[in-house]
Amino acid sequence: MALQAVVAADLVQFSESFSMVDLFDTEPGAPVDLMGAVIWPCWLDRAAQTAMLADLRDVARAAPFRQYETPGGHKMSVRMTAAGEVGWVTDRSGYRYASQHQSGGSWPEIPASVLDVWRAISGVDRDPDSCLVNYYGEGAKMSLHQDKDEADHHWPVVSISLGDPGLFRVGGMVRKDPTKSRWLMSGDVAVLSGDARLAYHGIDRIRFGEGDLLPDGGRINVTLRVAQ
Ligand code: MD3
Ligand code: FE
């Protein structure tokens, strides 16, 4: 047999011993502690990521992504929408949770695929009432901030990353505290509870186009909260 034919036969044998899902899957990792933020690498396998992405497309159809303005008058680079009883919004009048989106209706329900992650990982027996969906296109970032707009800060925050890698930075309770960074990959889930719940954090940059979950590139982050 010609060498090319041998190589081709080997490739067929190789590909038949794996499913497409296996080819994309990474092993779930042990939890990583980053300044008290607990990151579960690859908590969601490729099939779960694809299913959640389809649910998030439905959310975005009901409540389209928007680029909000901060109270200071800066346009955020991240595009946002939400699900649940209330959604986080901002405009010139301030940061707040609102029961209606800009197009006038109530927010869509939090998808079951997203709720399942909270129930499995949050460690609390109350469901979240708010699900923020952030979309990072090319060049988008989120500067260092605290999440303080919720009524009771003792409830955890759960964060799910999908799509391109994002460089997550987390520090302490004061902006100038030292920080640590880690790339959040598609399928990673982070739990912010205890002291880390009020830690400064942000996304410095994304590696746009590196992932293959979103056909047009970009990163999605879903955060679940008890807001009211
Ligand atoms: C650490 N989102 O929406 S997720 C946010 O990837 C937000 O879109 C980032 O910060 C993102 O407010 C970071 C990880 C995260 C979420 C909430 C936290 C880290 C956190 C709350 C407290 C401390
Ligand atoms: Fe935040």
Side-chain angles (χ1 to χ4, degrees), residues 79-93:
R79 292 166 193 275
M80 299 176 163
T81 186
E85 280 169 54
V86 290
W88 188 86
V89 298
T90 172
D91 57 23
R92 293 304 289 264
S93 67

Side-chain angles (χ1 to χ4, degrees), residues 132 134 142 145-147 157 199 201-202 223 225:
L132 179 66
N134 295 332
M142 192 178 285
H145 67 278
Q146 290 172 295
D147 291 12
V157 174
H201 61 279
T223 46
R225 297 182 175 82

Side-chain angles (χ1 to χ4, degrees), residues 147-182:
D147 291 12
K148 296 189 300 190
D149 302 319
E150 301 74 28
D152 181 346
H153 299 149
H154 102 270
W155 297 105
V157 174
V158 170
S159 146
I160 306 163
S161 292
L162 297 172
D164 294 337
L167 186 56
F168 173 57
R169 179 198 289 267
V170 59
M173 315 284 260
V174 180
R175 185 179 289 277
K176 64 171 171 41
D177 283 341
T179 62
K180 282 189 175 171
S181 297
R182 181 184 167 96

Side-chain angles (χ1 to χ4, degrees), residues 118 122 124 126 150-157 192-195 197-198 226:
W118 171 278
S122 71
V124 298
R126 177 171 170 181
E150 301 74 28
D152 181 346
H153 299 149
H154 102 270
W155 297 105
V157 174
L192 301 312
S193 57
D195 287 347
R197 173 63 181 77
L198 282 173
V226 177

Side-chain angles (χ1 to χ4, degrees), residues 50-218:
T50 305
M52 189 177 292
L53 185 62
D55 290 341
L56 295 173
R57 288 193 201 286
D58 291 340
V59 167
R61 242 187 305 276
F65 280 103
R66 287 183 44 104
Q67 239 179 317
Y68 294 135
E69 220 178 321
T70 65
H74 298 282
K75 260 251 154 82
M76 298 182 78
S77 57
V78 177
R79 292 166 193 275
M80 299 176 163
T81 186
E85 280 169 54
V86 290
W88 188 86
V89 298
T90 172
D91 57 23
R92 293 304 289 264
S93 67
Y95 304 123
R96 62 191 177 278
Y97 282 92
S99 55
Q100 301 225 314
H101 56 86
Q102 250 84 4
S103 318
S106 46
W107 302 96
E109 277 185 30
I110 301 176
S113 59
V114 175
L115 264 185
D116 284 348
V117 175
W118 171 278
R119 290 175 180 165
I121 214 170
S122 71
V124 298
D125 61 11
R126 177 171 170 181
D127 277 344
D129 58 12
S130 187
C131 171
L132 179 66
V133 186
N134 295 332
Y135 173 75
Y136 294 72
E138 192 159 18
K141 61 190 171 62
M142 192 178 285
S143 51
L144 221 55
H145 67 278
Q146 290 172 295
D147 291 12
K148 296 189 300 190
D149 302 319
E150 301 74 28
D152 181 346
H153 299 149
H154 102 270
W155 297 105
V157 174
V158 170
S159 146
I160 306 163
S161 292
L162 297 172
D164 294 337
L167 186 56
F168 173 57
R169 179 198 289 267
V170 59
M173 315 284 260
V174 180
R175 185 179 289 277
K176 64 171 171 41
D177 283 341
T179 62
K180 282 189 175 171
S181 297
R182 181 184 167 96
W183 287 96
L184 290 178
M185 309 302 291
S186 195
D188 288 0
V189 175
V191 182
L192 301 312
S193 57
D195 287 347
R197 173 63 181 77
L198 282 173
Y200 273 88
H201 61 279
I203 296 290
D204 288 343
R205 58 196 161 89
I206 70 163
R207 298 205 299 253
F208 183 83
E210 189 187 289
D212 59 3
L213 187 71
L214 280 72
D216 297 322

